[in-house]
Amino acid sequence: MARIIETNTDGFKSVDVDLVTVDIIENALRNARYEMDAVLFRTAMSPGIREQHDEFPLIADHKGRMVVGQFGSFIGGFLDNYAGDIEEGDVFLTSDPYSCDGAISHANDWLVLMPIFLDGRVVGWSAMFGHMTDVGGKVPGSLPTDAHSIHEEGVVIPPIKIYNKGQLNTELLDLILNQVRMKQWNRSDLNAIVAACRTAGRRVVELCQRFGTDIYISTLEALLDRNYRAMSQLIQNTISTEKLSFTDYIDDDGLGNGPYKIHCTMWREGDHVVLDFEGTDPQSIGPINFFLNVNMFKMFFGIYMIMVFDPQILWNDGFYPLVEVRIPNRSLLKPEYPAALSCRTHGLGRIFDVLGGLLGQRQPEFLCAAGFSSSPHLMYSGTDRNGEWFQLYQIGFGGIPGRPFGDGPDGHSLWPSFTNVPNEFLEAYFPLVIESYETVPDSGGAGFFRGGNGIDIAYRFLEPGTISIHDDRWLTYPWGVNGGEPGMRSTKYLIRSNGSKEILPSKCDNVDVNVNDVLHYVTWGGGGWGDPLIRDPELVALELKRGLITVAGARNYGVVLNQDFSLDEDATAELRSQLLKSRPGLEVFNRGGEIVDLKERCEAETGLIAPIDPVFT
């Protein structure tokens, strides 16, 4: 366990704080969290961080509990596992998921943690992690789809002091950077993350000096307690003592095996909720394992509860004692070292679908369909005609699910703060042309609220190189709910310069591309919500004109259009009447077929051979 060296051993006094002060400090901390983002985006170099915002900051209290942030705090786990001293001016770095209980979930995420000292005492913590474009390993981008061990995935940094009492350990940093392909990007991105954490530290110190340290600390206690009380009420009102279960799948492991099952059961015991992953498949020999940090999952659960049932609540770590998470050892979600983790985003994303399927079962009106639950990657690298190394890492977007309160957005990220890398940026800095960037009509599942459409990005390559692809949902469908239809699957294919077409697996490395080869990177859509036969037909006609659905797709809503795409009201009424009479009852969950059926249809529907059932030892 870590030992914090403080020259001031006076404890903090608990004092009463008025609501106005609480509100001012809370909003100041929220602004400081966004200032961390701004500092990072303006000083990082890699497009994954600078343009797409693949990073996650937090500000915590002196005990390490997150007060503002996104993923929940992992500082408590760090303090329990780090065996050294912590002093003023220290800044810590790690990229080892196994050393921090999965607080970061693969070696590309570099996590910086910083204690915030004032007058000889720790008054808080700031932390941030960001995805490095490359950390070495067997393939450019460091995310091999066929890895059997984390040691194939690049340099793995144990928790270390990258700054010791304010002094940078330059030799250690040089040693780390010597393992990576893009040294300048990694150095710049790391410096930017450290600068962002220091910015948060200055803001916390300013608040303590303005209001007094005891008032600041007492305010954070009030914020955490407020969240505890609000979540306690939500759990009592919405979670039953009856056990409810839900299952979803990761389609394959990159080695030809799959699907892999993620299963969760939920129930309430007294005033707290239990989420038990017993029944989840054992860990994979491939890299789709997702080391699920318990506190991170508690935060996922809390955010989902809050956003569905009471969006006015501002989340923090205060409710953690109300949630118990059980994850079997050596499972897909708690793999044993040194299991490979480089394709873990599919398990991470699928957790949100599982939560959605669990939390809405007792109240189907609150269900969300399955959506774009992943962060699929494209890597393109090589040496250009000038002898310069280039390396692209980009995250694709897709269809957000239909929801109780509206359609799913088209072509959106799973993470709300992520943004698209502008096409102009890609074409300016990499040897490629974006031939098209458009939504895929009908890819969102039909419903009273439509699922969001996926997108088709066509990359024309201007230099020979290699590509890697990370994706999922090519076998299973993003399911619809309450009568909504599933969304469309993903697909990836190359149109070679000679006109031939090559369908690519959803997970592949070292695919050679040549000048004028075109990659179509097609992402999946979101499932639909509710009965599509009661969707406003005028809205369906409008979406046809906007290119979001096709004439054939309009018939999924029982809508018939004239040649000028105006609504044929009589034909629509007749078609809807026919469809209502002929269809079976509405399904709460429409998965597009059971796994055995999907496998039988796989090659005919996707052009790819179905994965084989995994064998566990």
Side-chain angles (χ1 to χ4, degrees):
M1 179 176 291
R3 186 170 69 114
I4 300 177
I5 307 300
E6 297 177 299
T7 58
N8 182 349
T9 59
D10 293 340
F12 299 110
K13 297 177 183 177
S14 179
V15 297
D16 292 332
V17 185
D18 63 87
L19 294 178
V20 173
T21 300
V22 170
D23 193 53
I24 291 172
I25 291 176
E26 180 182 37
N27 282 282
L29 288 173
R30 188 189 296 112
N31 290 338
R33 175 248 193 268
Y34 291 121
E35 189 178 1
M36 293 175 74
D37 290 335
V39 169
L40 181 68
F41 302 153
R42 284 162 174 75
T43 51
M45 287 189 66
S46 70
I49 291 180
R50 186 174 74 178
E51 300 294 329
Q52 289 212 281
H53 304 172
D54 191 353
E55 52 77 34
F56 299 90
L58 71 84
I59 300 173
D61 73 350
H62 64 295
K63 297 178 181 178
R65 297 173 295 179
M66 187 193 85
V67 182
V68 294
Q70 187 167 348
F71 264 9
S73 182
F74 30 75
I75 294 169
F78 163 73
L79 293 173
D80 289 340
N81 291 304
Y82 182 71
D85 292 341
I86 297 174
E87 301 178 79
E88 187 166 0
D90 289 348
V91 179
F92 296 87
L93 170 67
T94 184
S95 69
D96 181 6
Y98 292 103
S99 72
C100 57
D101 296 325
I104 49 173
S105 50
H106 67 168
N108 286 73
D109 286 336
W110 283 14
L111 168 62
V112 170
L113 308 97
M114 191 189 84
I116 303 169
F117 277 81
L118 177 62
D119 298 329
R121 294 182 296 181
V122 171
V123 296
W125 289 81
S126 61
M128 175 182 277
F129 66 87
H131 180 103
M132 298 291 159
T133 293
D134 187 278
V135 294
K138 63 189 293 188
V139 296
S142 314
L143 301 171
T145 60
D146 62 351
H148 289 68
S149 162
I150 193 172
H151 299 299
E152 299 175 69
E153 299 170 351
V155 61
V156 181
I157 308 166
I160 57 170
K161 289 185 182 182
I162 197 68
Y163 283 85
N164 188 351
K165 299 180 184 178
Q167 295 298 311
L168 173 64
N169 189 334
T170 55
E171 290 186 353
L172 179 59
L173 180 58
D174 288 343
L175 174 64
I176 294 170
L177 294 179
N178 197 51
Q179 316 305 312
V180 310
R181 294 176 177 85
M182 303 290 292
K183 294 179 177 61
Q184 187 177 4
W185 282 12
N186 289 56
R187 185 187 298 273
S188 174
D189 290 356
L190 176 61
N191 287 341
I193 292 173
V194 172
C197 290
R198 286 177 169 163
T199 298
R202 286 196 296 273
R203 299 298 173 256
V204 168
V205 168
E206 290 167 0
L207 287 170
C208 290
Q209 292 172 336
R210 175 182 174 185
F211 293 97
T213 302
D214 290 334
I215 288 178
Y216 175 79
I217 296 295
S218 296
T219 297
L220 301 197
E221 288 287 349
L223 292 172
L224 293 161
D225 181 65
R226 184 181 69 186
N227 198 265
Y228 177 95
R229 287 183 281 107
M231 185 62 72
S232 178
Q233 195 65 46
L234 277 182
I235 290 172
Q236 291 286 340
N237 292 343
T238 61
I239 307 296
S240 172
T241 56
E242 171 194 3
K243 291 186 177 182
L244 297 173
S245 297
F246 194 76
T247 301
D248 211 337
Y249 300 89
I250 301 171
D251 288 356
D252 72 296
D253 62 0
L255 302 174
N257 308 299
Y260 286 79
K261 178 174 62 176
I262 296 177
H263 181 83
C264 189
T265 302
M266 177 182 69
W267 70 94
R268 180 169 55 83
E269 291 183 357
D271 64 351
H272 71 281
V273 62
V274 179
L275 295 126
D276 188 348
F277 285 94
E278 187 68 39
T280 294
D281 277 344
Q283 68 187 57
S284 167
I285 60 171
I288 60 167
N289 302 294
F290 170 44
F291 194 154
L292 177 55
N293 178 266
V294 168
N295 284 342
M296 183 187 295
F297 182 70
K298 289 181 179 181
M299 183 54 64
F300 291 169
F301 168 81
I303 291 173
Y304 199 99
M305 288 279 289
I306 288 167
M307 296 308 293
V308 170
F309 297 111
D310 193 350
Q312 298 305 311
I313 299 173
L314 298 174
W315 60 79
N316 57 44
D317 284 6
F319 69 89
Y320 279 8
L322 297 167
V323 183
E324 179 183 351
V325 181
R326 302 172 184 174
I327 307 175
N329 291 327
R330 301 197 78 252
S331 68
L332 197 68
L333 301 179
K334 196 174 183 180
E336 185 178 80
Y337 171 85
L341 305 171
S342 53
C343 289
R344 95 289 183 232
T345 51
H346 314 303
L348 169 59
R350 206 68 79 252
I351 290 294
F352 289 96
D353 287 341
V354 170
L355 276 174
L358 272 176
L359 292 172
Q361 285 187 43
R362 286 184 63 231
Q363 298 166 292
E365 66 273 16
F366 286 113
L367 271 173
C368 289
F372 190 61
S373 49
S374 188
S375 295
H377 308 324
L378 169 67
M379 277 71 73
Y380 168 46
S381 60
T383 303
D384 65 19
R385 64 197 65 189
N386 298 316
E388 296 290 330
W389 176 258
F390 63 87
Q391 187 170 330
L392 169 66
Y393 157 79
Q394 185 179 14
I395 298 173
F397 295 167
I400 301 301
R403 301 159 292 170
F405 44 85
D407 296 342
D410 305 302
H412 202 285
S413 170
L414 168 67
W415 308 109
S417 61
F418 278 20
T419 60
N420 179 51
V421 178
N423 293 342
E424 296 81 1
F425 180 95
L426 293 174
E427 293 178 343
Y429 288 95
F430 299 97
L432 54 79
V433 171
I434 305 299
E435 297 259 302
S436 61
Y437 189 117
E438 55 192 7
T439 62
V440 181
D442 298 335
S443 58
F448 177 72
F449 290 125
R450 178 178 60 84
N453 283 334
I455 57 175
D456 179 358
I457 307 180
Y459 300 86
R460 181 178 294 276
F461 302 113
L462 302 181
E463 295 280 8
T466 62
I467 61 172
S468 294
I469 290 173
H470 282 225
D471 204 4
D472 205 60
R473 284 291 195 209
W474 65 275
L475 173 68
T476 62
Y477 287 92
W479 32 268
V481 297
N482 298 328
E485 296 291 324
M488 187 186 76
R489 298 154 158 161
S490 68
T491 185
K492 310 289 179 291
Y493 61 94
L494 276 168
I495 303 297
R496 296 293 187 177
S497 58
N498 62 9
S500 63
K501 180 178 180 180
E502 181 180 339
I503 298 175
L504 299 177
S506 74
K507 302 172 184 67
C508 56
D509 287 316
N510 296 318
V511 178
D512 291 330
V513 293
N514 294 304
V515 176
N516 288 325
D517 287 349
V518 177
L519 170 68
H520 283 264
Y521 198 104
V522 184
T523 61
W524 74 79
W529 187 98
D531 186 354
L533 298 184
I534 60 173
R535 185 173 174 85
D536 181 357
E538 293 285 0
L539 179 57
V540 175
L542 178 62
E543 292 190 320
L544 176 71
K545 294 177 182 177
R546 290 175 172 173
L548 299 173
I549 62 172
T550 65
V551 172
R555 296 185 73 87
N556 294 328
Y557 298 89
V559 173
V560 181
L561 303 167
N562 298 310
Q563 289 187 348
D564 63 354
F565 299 147
S566 62
L567 178 65
D568 186 329
E569 295 184 6
D570 293 338
T572 293
E574 182 179 351
L575 177 58
R576 285 188 163 184
S577 176
Q578 292 173 357
L579 293 173
L580 283 168
K581 291 176 183 178
S582 63
R583 75 179 183 186
L586 297 178
E587 298 177 276
V588 177
F589 295 99
N590 184 344
R591 296 178 180 266
E594 298 300 322
I595 294 296
V596 63
D597 301 320
L598 297 178
K599 284 193 170 186
E600 288 179 358
R601 294 155 29 199
C602 178
E603 190 167 3
E605 293 181 353
T606 70
L608 298 171
I609 297 173
I612 62 174
D613 293 340
V615 177
F616 304 112
T617 58

